[in-house]
């Protein structure tokens, strides 16, 4: 019988997997951690980690406050305000999902409740016209109370069951605000219109604070920026407190947290209340900004968008979810313009190829090969398929648009052909995951050209659908490359 290897030999074996006997794993992996700081990127990461959190926030506020000085374009300023609204929503959802680990799918209902309550108290709906100094505290407290009620009803639930209950709560809210225009109340002799039904509540009063009215996009931008700075500071302090650390313990393992004598149910209720309060505060800014509230503003598409921001930025990171909100909202706005969307689409493809294909000589070979493939296919179509090149770019199009349109096949009636090409593209992308080596590089050339064909003949004409498709593709790609999100911290799981 052969001698069994000694434990020390196993510990020193270079291919040994799992924990090594007599070795401190954190010290043993010091070299692996140092690899993150190699090169220019690593140096920037190391220098960035030396900067304090307060300095980063101050730098962001100063840079963001310069936007009204750099442009007077009302569209750009409105996008900036909407982005800050999304950032507030994202950091509020991060409390529930990123810190406490509760899958709350009713979060948008709190945002809608805050917006509607502000509209009821500060509009001609009941002729109240209260100033924001009175309305906002009432909205925040009432929304936090509503979060407490939802938390009480679901304090024993977790995971999928909690998600189902909170999603049901969101649907109840949408139904109620869509049908609360003829409510009969005790001691009132006529039906009362609370929410205006599907028409919503228009003509909401401007945000008034200490006698000052916010009416322009610039004013609302600075207001939202100030509220964001205060909210992030408050949440950062909460994150560093005992409650914040307890939330993280609850997120990692609720049973272990309860065994360690942590008040798990109370922590869940606090998370619901903090998240709901943040959503209500955001709603009290969004209502006067949009000068009205409507039921369709608080449905599933908004919930999906906010969750995408949290996932993209990294659940649990305040800076990450704020960055995710900026990236997604700005990208979605860019995609509303066909010319801008074209730059974003082709730029993302080129950057992805240069990033993922190594060595770089192969990456450039793929790019050049795709260009040559398109030119050859265009020459063949000119000779054998006249309909395939019948459509051309408009005369006033820029040089890049004319170049792309002279490279991609543009049938006169691309409807059916483009839809079939889209299906083939999806199948081809999935097929790329099944092959490796030089075969994948060769197959990548026609797949990239097919993506350009689908974009020019189908996706570019359906902006609303294209935005969602590209958003989903972005999240799938990120989850594959960096599951923890842009600035999130990878979770350690022991199995």
């Amino acid at each position: 019988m052969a001698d069994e290897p000694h434990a020390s030999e196993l510990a020193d074996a270079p291919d040994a997997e799992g924990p090594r006997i007599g070795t401190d794993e954190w010290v043993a992996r010091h070299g692996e951690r140092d690899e993150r700081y190699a090169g220019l990127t690593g140096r920037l990461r190391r220098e960035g980690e030396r900067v304090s959190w307060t300095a980063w926030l101050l730098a962001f506020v100063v840079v963001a406050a310069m936007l009204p000085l750099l442009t007077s374009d009302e569209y750009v300023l409105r996008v900036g305000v909407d982005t800050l609204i999304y950032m507030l929503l994202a950091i509020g959802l991060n409390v529930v999902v990123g810190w406490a680990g509760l899958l709350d799918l009713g979060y948008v209902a709190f945002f809608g409740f805050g917006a509607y309550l502000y509209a009821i108290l500060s509009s001609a709906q009941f002729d109240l016209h209260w100033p924001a100094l009175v309305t906002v505290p009432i909205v925040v407290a009432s929304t936090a109370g509503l979060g407490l009620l939802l938390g009480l009803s679901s304090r024993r639930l977790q995971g999928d069951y909690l998600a189902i209950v909170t999603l049901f709560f969101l649907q109840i809210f949408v139904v109620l605000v869509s049908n609360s225009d003829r409510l009969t109340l005790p001691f009132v002799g006529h039906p009362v219109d609370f929410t205006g039904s599907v028409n919503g509540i228009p003509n909401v009063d401007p945000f008034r604070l200490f006698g000052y009215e916010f009416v322009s996009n610039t004013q609302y931008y600075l207001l939202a920026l100030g509220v964001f700075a205060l909210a992030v500071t408050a949440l950062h302090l909460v994150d560093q407190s005992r409650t914040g650390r307890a939330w993280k313990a609850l997120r990692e393992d609720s049973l272990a947290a309860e065994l360690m004598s942590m008040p798990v149910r109370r922590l869940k209720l606090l998370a619901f209340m903090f998240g709901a309060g943040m959503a209500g505060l955001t709603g009290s800014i969004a209502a006067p900004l949009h000068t009205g509230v409507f039921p369709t503003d608080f449905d599933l598409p908004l919930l999906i968008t906010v969750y995408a921001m949290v996932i993209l930025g990294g659940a649990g990171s305040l800076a990450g979810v704020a960055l995710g909100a900026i990236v997604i909202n700005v990208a979605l706005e860019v995609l509303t313009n066909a010319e801008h969307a074209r730059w974003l689409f082709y730029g993302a493809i080129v950057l992805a190829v240069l990033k993922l294909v190594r060595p770089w000589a192969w990456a450039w070979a793929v790019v050049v090969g795709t260009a040559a493939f398109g030119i050859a296919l265009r020459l063949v179509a000119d000779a054998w398929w006249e309909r395939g090149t019948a459509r051309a770019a408009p005369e006033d199009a820029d040089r890049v648009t004319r170049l792309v349109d002279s490279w991609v096949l543009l049938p006169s009636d691309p409807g059916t052909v483009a839809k079939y090409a889209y299906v083939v593209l999806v199948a081809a992308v999935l097929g790329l995951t099944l092959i490796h080596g030089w075969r994948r590089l060769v197959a990548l050339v026609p797949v990239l050209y097919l993506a350009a064909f689908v974009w020019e003949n189908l996706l570019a004409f359906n902006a609303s659908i294209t935005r969602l498709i590209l958003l989903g593709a972005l999240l799938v790609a990120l989850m594959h490359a960096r599951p923890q999100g842009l600035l999130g911290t990878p979770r350690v799981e022991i199995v």
Side-chain angles (χ1 to χ4, degrees):
M1 181 176 180
D3 294 336
E4 296 183 358
H6 192 268
S8 61
E9 298 177 2
L10 290 176
D12 296 333
D15 296 330
E17 298 181 357
R20 291 177 290 179
I21 300 174
T23 302
D24 189 308
E25 287 297 309
W26 191 89
V27 175
R29 296 182 182 274
H30 178 70
E32 298 178 14
R33 291 192 300 274
D34 275 355
E35 291 180 0
R36 298 185 308 164
Y37 300 102
L40 178 60
T41 304
R43 190 178 306 168
L44 292 176
R45 181 196 296 267
R46 183 170 55 251
E47 295 299 327
E49 291 179 353
R50 294 178 179 177
V51 180
S52 66
W53 181 89
T54 306
W56 277 117
L57 177 61
L58 182 61
F60 169 77
V61 172
V62 171
V63 172
M66 294 175 63
L67 180 63
L69 301 178
L70 299 176
T71 180
S72 58
D73 190 326
E74 291 298 320
Y75 172 74
V76 174
L77 292 172
R78 187 54 178 263
V79 172
V81 180
D82 290 339
T83 301
L84 287 168
I85 294 294
Y86 277 119
M87 291 167 69
L88 287 169
L89 285 175
I91 63 174
L93 182 61
N94 182 64
V95 174
V96 186
V97 177
W99 289 349
L102 304 175
L103 192 55
D104 180 11
L105 297 184
Y107 178 75
V108 172
F110 300 122
F111 174 54
F113 179 81
Y116 266 96
L117 185 55
Y118 182 95
I120 289 173
L121 298 178
S122 299
S123 71
Q125 185 73 5
F126 291 100
D127 203 24
L128 295 178
H129 304 287
W130 290 358
L133 192 62
V134 177
T135 303
V136 172
I138 295 176
V139 169
V140 174
S142 301
T143 312
L146 185 62
L148 174 63
L149 292 178
L150 180 61
L152 286 172
S153 64
S154 56
R155 65 186 184 278
R156 295 177 180 271
L157 303 177
Q158 59 183 355
D160 299 339
Y161 300 100
L162 179 62
I164 292 172
V165 171
T166 52
L167 182 61
F168 182 60
F169 170 71
L170 172 60
Q171 293 304 307
I172 289 177
F173 170 79
V174 174
V175 171
L176 282 178
V177 296
S178 300
N179 297 276
S180 297
D181 57 330
R182 295 184 60 83
L183 294 181
T184 303
L185 300 179
F187 310 108
V188 178
H190 57 84
V192 179
D193 180 6
F194 276 96
T195 62
S197 186
V198 295
N199 297 320
I201 303 177
N203 302 320
V204 176
D205 295 344
F207 200 94
R208 288 186 289 119
L209 194 63
F210 300 110
Y212 181 80
E213 285 192 357
F214 294 79
V215 292
S216 67
N217 285 327
T218 300
Q219 293 169 328
Y220 275 107
Y221 177 83
L222 296 176
L223 170 66
L225 181 60
V227 172
F228 173 78
L230 294 175
V232 167
T233 303
L235 290 180
H236 176 71
L237 295 176
V238 172
D239 182 38
Q240 300 301 312
S241 67
R242 293 178 60 186
T243 301
R245 294 192 294 271
W247 274 337
K248 292 181 177 62
L250 171 65
R251 177 193 64 193
E252 297 299 329
D253 193 326
S254 59
L255 179 59
E258 190 168 10
L259 291 175
M260 294 295 292
S261 72
M262 292 184 183
V264 170
R265 295 181 182 176
R266 188 188 307 168
L267 290 171
K268 288 183 179 181
L269 296 180
L270 279 175
F272 271 111
M273 292 177 65
F274 268 83
M278 273 300 308
L281 174 63
T282 309
S284 65
I285 300 176
L289 169 66
H290 300 141
T291 67
V293 290
F294 309 95
T296 54
D297 294 338
F298 312 103
D299 213 338
L300 282 177
L302 177 60
L303 176 68
I304 294 172
T305 302
V306 178
Y307 258 92
M309 293 170 177
V310 173
I311 295 171
L312 175 67
S317 168
L318 281 175
V321 298
L323 178 61
I326 295 173
V327 171
I328 287 183
N329 191 55
V330 172
L332 292 179
E333 288 296 332
V334 169
L335 290 173
T336 58
N337 184 294
E339 299 299 328
H340 296 163
R342 177 179 281 110
W343 280 91
L344 181 63
F345 177 76
Y346 289 108
I349 287 182
V350 172
L351 290 177
V353 171
L354 296 178
K355 174 68 176 177
L356 300 177
V357 179
R358 288 291 184 273
W360 277 9
W362 292 0
W364 284 112
V366 170
V367 174
V368 173
T370 304
F373 182 85
I375 294 173
L377 199 60
R378 182 82 183 201
L379 293 175
V380 172
D382 286 337
W384 297 93
W385 190 33
E386 295 182 0
R387 175 175 169 267
T389 58
R391 188 160 46 89
E395 296 182 358
D396 58 344
D398 57 42
R399 182 177 302 177
V400 175
T401 301
R402 292 197 300 270
L403 177 63
V404 171
D405 288 352
S406 64
W407 173 68
V408 179
L409 297 180
L410 299 174
S412 57
D413 184 15
T416 304
V417 176
K419 292 177 182 177
Y420 280 116
Y422 176 74
V423 176
V424 174
L425 175 63
V426 174
V429 171
L430 295 176
L432 285 177
T433 63
L434 303 178
I435 57 178
H436 304 279
W438 63 269
R439 295 182 180 84
R440 175 181 291 180
L441 293 178
V442 173
L444 190 58
V445 170
V447 171
L448 290 177
Y449 184 83
L450 185 60
F453 177 84
V454 172
W455 172 265
E456 296 295 337
N457 292 280
L458 180 64
L459 299 182
F461 302 110
N462 300 278
S464 58
I465 298 176
T466 301
R467 295 166 69 187
L468 297 178
I469 292 175
L470 293 184
L471 177 60
L474 174 65
L475 292 177
V476 170
L478 178 71
M479 291 301 101
H480 177 74
R482 189 176 174 82
Q484 69 270 26
L486 294 175
L487 298 182
T489 303
R491 297 178 61 180
V492 179
E493 296 184 0
I494 300 177
V495 295

